[in-house]
Amino acid sequence: MHGRYAHWLKARLSHRYGEVDAEDIAQETWLRFGPCGGIESVRHPKAFLLKIATNLAADRLRRHSRSTRLAAEVAQIDGWDVTQPAQTDELLAKQLVLSLPQPLRDVFVLSRIGGLSNAQIGERLGISPKTVEWRMTKALAHCAAQLRR
């Protein structure tokens, strides 16, 4: 049933979420897709599969975030000094940046990681500083929305 798109989906998910999670997300995607009829019944199968996978990845991230928060709260109540590992924070930040559309990601990375001003970013990307400002606002709003989920 899914032979035609299996490799494509796995490669796409590996790029977005890493090899470790890609296999699980891909398998769960096919399980969710099963009741939908068949690949032929979907007008844009790649978009549909990727949307299912993206939703599943977001659900996994939310569940992980909740369980980590709960563990920290329990540890705090019990008097333990347990903090969330920096690696988890780093992974969350990476996923947030990678989830940005390319034009917003370029501006975000050049600003927050590269330390460039709006004028410098505009010059480098061939856009106006006002467009840089607009894209940065959109990028920050996108990240905030993802964190609220």
Side-chain angles (χ1 to χ4, degrees):
M1 167 172 98
H2 60 275
R4 186 180 339 165
Y5 298 104
H7 179 70
W8 171 86
L9 181 63
K10 177 82 169 41
R12 195 74 169 191
L13 295 175
S14 294
H15 178 72
R16 278 191 178 183
Y17 305 110
E19 287 289 328
V20 175
D21 292 328
E23 186 66 37
D24 291 339
I25 295 170
Q27 287 179 6
E28 204 170 335
T29 299
W30 290 113
L31 288 173
R32 293 274 175 100
F33 180 75
C36 294
I39 205 82
E40 295 79 24
S41 66
V42 178
R43 187 174 187 163
H44 300 286
K46 287 182 177 181
F48 188 65
L49 290 169
L50 201 53
K51 185 63 177 170
I52 292 171
T54 302
N55 289 341
L56 288 169
D59 288 345
R60 290 171 66 117
L61 184 60
R62 274 193 294 275
R63 278 194 306 270
H64 175 73
S65 179
R66 280 188 205 123
S67 66
T68 303
R69 261 189 311 226
L70 181 60
E73 288 172 10
V74 168
Q76 190 176 25
I77 290 169
D78 288 343
W80 300 344
D81 185 22
V82 177
T83 57
Q84 188 175 19
Q87 186 177 17
T88 304
D89 292 341
E90 187 178 316
L91 179 61
L92 176 61
K94 183 178 179 180
Q95 287 176 332
L96 281 173
V97 172
L98 290 175
S99 73
L100 289 168
Q102 191 65 46
L104 303 182
R105 185 182 325 148
D106 292 344
V107 168
F108 185 87
V109 168
L110 289 172
S111 174
R112 295 299 194 241
I113 298 172
L116 300 178
S117 69
N118 287 357
Q120 291 169 321
I121 295 169
E123 188 175 305
R124 182 173 283 184
L125 298 178
I127 57 177
S128 73
K130 202 68 173 159
T131 301
V132 171
E133 184 179 323
W134 181 86
R135 288 181 182 176
M136 191 63 188
T137 300
K138 289 288 188 188
L140 292 172
H142 176 85
C143 290
Q146 294 299 317
L147 287 171
R148 280 192 297 272
R149 287 185 176 183

